[in-house]
Amino acid sequence: MNDELAIDVKGLTKRYGPKLVVDHVDVAVPKGKIYGFLGPNGSGKTTTIRMICGLLTPDEGSGTCLGFDMRRDAAEIKKRVGYMTQKFSYWEDLSIEENLLFTADMFGLDRKKERVEKALEDLRLVSRRKQLAGRLSGGWKQRLALAASILHEPLLLLLDEPTAGVDPKARREFWDEIHRLAGQGITVLVSTHYMDEAERCHAIIYIAYGRLLVQGTVRDVIDHAGLATWSVKGSGLSDLMRNLEKNPAIATMAPFGEILHISGTNEAALYEALAPYIDDPCLEWRKSAPTLEDAFIHYMDQNDERGFS
Ligand SMILES: Nc1ncnc2c1ncn2[C@@H]1O[C@H](COP(=O)(O)OP(=O)(O)OP(=O)(O)O)[C@@H](O)[C@H]1O
Ligand SMILES: [Mg+2]
């Protein structure tokens, strides 16, 4: 057992009937770090999170969470983990403070008033404590849900798409709070579909089709894809895409607003494929650094082709 790791699980596997939804996934998250969990819809993020916190029994795999055996000590793990579910709920006709007091009550916590006060302060909810939860904007609702999940002072936070549907400013502020909590020594595993959020993690874990495809820092993940990328803007981009779509030198093509990113794993072959269009006066080409999204699209396509499903 590695004392430095808050989560240390190997070979996590879950089947639903004949369907393999999590396929031998290893997760190792050091204490006090923020790890991002990314992957397309249905790739097994929620299922993995639920196995890590002991809510779901894996079919295979073993390991520890906060030093406790994932299979044997699920009850001990649950006491020390804060879990913000993908579709969290709260009581609309109770205030923020009442929601927190009620949650503390439900979990049979001691020092209820003190804990609620600390959560209100930690998530800067003090001035809004009397506001009805049902009247809060999306961003404040997420904050309330986060406050509720830290009432029992967990050592590990599992946040399942905590900012889905929240505006960019509120998401950014929510992430400031996540970093403040990590600064207090709490470990965080957070699933997200947002690339800007992935970039705020110490490291990311990317799964697709139930399989772990890559993990590491954002830099590692981009570099590991080994892509060369060109960006192009101008008129006739959809024709260009159509002309290039079957070209084997091209690994991924993805429009970002008015700019099309074209990537390949062989720089020379990619240039050769693009050469006939480089001097087109309607197009403006630029050699660019591949983004995290380029890398993810590439990983996904690559694995799709191998027939994982
Ligand atoms: N209780 C269940 N019974 C049967 N299949 C399930 C069950 N829970 C999840 N699945 C399936 O397992 C796969 C993985 O689901 P999971 O919710 O873990 O994905 P996810 O990565 O969290 O997706 P999303 O990004 O949409 O939240 C999906 O195909 C889903 O339909
Ligand atoms: Mg999910």
Side-chain angles (χ1 to χ4, degrees):
M1 193 175 82
N2 184 339
D3 281 348
E4 301 300 311
L5 296 176
I7 302 173
D8 187 12
V9 295
K10 291 203 169 66
L12 275 193
T13 299
K14 187 75 194 172
R15 290 181 188 83
Y16 283 114
K19 196 170 171 200
L20 189 54
V21 298
V22 177
D23 185 3
H24 298 92
V25 167
D26 299 346
V27 180
V29 181
K31 286 182 181 163
K33 297 287 182 202
I34 303 170
Y35 269 45
F37 204 8
L38 286 101
N41 291 127
S43 55
K45 299 180 296 295
T46 299
T47 308
T48 305
I49 288 175
R50 292 171 71 84
M51 289 193 281
I52 291 172
C53 66
L55 283 172
L56 197 63
T57 312
D59 294 322
E60 286 172 49
S62 60
T64 59
C65 184
L66 299 169
F68 293 98
D69 187 286
M70 196 183 60
R71 288 173 174 280
R72 213 183 43 221
D73 306 322
E76 293 303 318
I77 294 172
K78 274 187 235 166
K79 275 188 225 162
R80 293 164 177 85
V81 172
Y83 176 35
M84 187 169 155
T85 55
Q86 197 165 350
K87 288 208 167 50
F88 57 84
S89 54
Y90 49 85
W91 293 275
E92 294 211 347
D93 46 358
L94 295 185
S95 68
I96 289 184
E97 182 175 9
E98 287 165 341
N99 262 281
L100 294 175
L101 280 168
F102 197 53
T103 306
D105 237 355
M106 238 173 31
F107 287 101
L109 298 178
D110 59 358
R111 302 183 281 111
K112 278 187 289 244
K113 283 232 159 66
E114 186 190 321
R115 287 175 188 273
V116 168
E117 213 55 49
K118 181 162 187 310
L120 288 170
E121 270 164 33
D122 275 355
L123 290 176
R124 302 166 208 228
L125 289 164
V126 176
S127 63
R128 291 175 185 258
R129 64 199 301 158
K130 301 288 178 213
Q131 282 190 21
L132 286 186
R135 300 252 174 88
L136 297 171
S137 68
W140 289 101
K141 281 177 186 156
Q142 318 288 110
R143 237 170 231 252
L144 167 58
L146 184 58
S149 66
I150 61 167
L151 281 175
H152 60 303
E153 296 169 348
L155 298 170
L156 169 66
L157 271 176
L158 300 172
L159 310 177
D160 199 358
E161 292 188 39
T163 57
V166 173
D167 73 55
K169 182 167 178 285
R171 289 203 289 116
R172 187 172 283 236
E173 287 167 0
F174 189 88
W175 270 80
D176 292 341
E177 301 304 342
I178 295 178
H179 273 273
R180 276 185 351 107
L181 292 169
Q184 295 172 17
I186 298 177
T187 309
V188 182
L189 177 62
V190 50
S191 75
T192 177
H193 288 292
Y194 297 111
M195 295 300 130
D196 57 321
E197 295 189 348
E199 287 174 357
R200 293 196 65 180
C201 296
H202 294 114
I204 49 187
I205 300 170
Y206 186 70
I207 65 169
Y209 318 106
R211 295 194 182 192
L212 192 148
L213 299 189
V214 60
Q215 68 175 309
T217 62
V218 169
R219 190 74 270 143
D220 291 343
V221 169
I222 295 175
D223 289 349
H224 184 75
L227 293 176
T229 300
W230 285 82
S231 59
V232 54
K233 64 180 180 181
S235 55
L237 288 185
S238 42
D239 288 340
L240 180 69
M241 273 179 93
R242 209 167 314 118
N243 292 338
L244 291 173
E245 121 193 300
K246 295 255 159 20
N247 195 308
I250 288 162
T252 68
M253 277 192 288
F256 291 82
E258 292 177 340
I259 299 173
L260 177 66
H261 280 209
I262 306 177
S263 305
T265 47
N266 179 327
E267 194 166 354
L270 177 67
Y271 186 78
E272 213 170 293
L274 303 181
Y277 309 95
I278 293 271
D279 293 326
D280 185 331
C282 298
L283 299 173
E284 193 184 316
W285 292 88
R286 201 180 295 262
K287 182 96 180 54
S288 62
T291 63
L292 189 59
E293 194 154 337
D294 294 325
F296 283 156
I297 295 170
H298 175 58
Y299 287 124
M300 230 169 85
D301 288 349
Q302 230 185 1
N303 285 281
D304 209 12
E305 279 159 23
R306 281 188 214 150
F308 294 169
S309 63

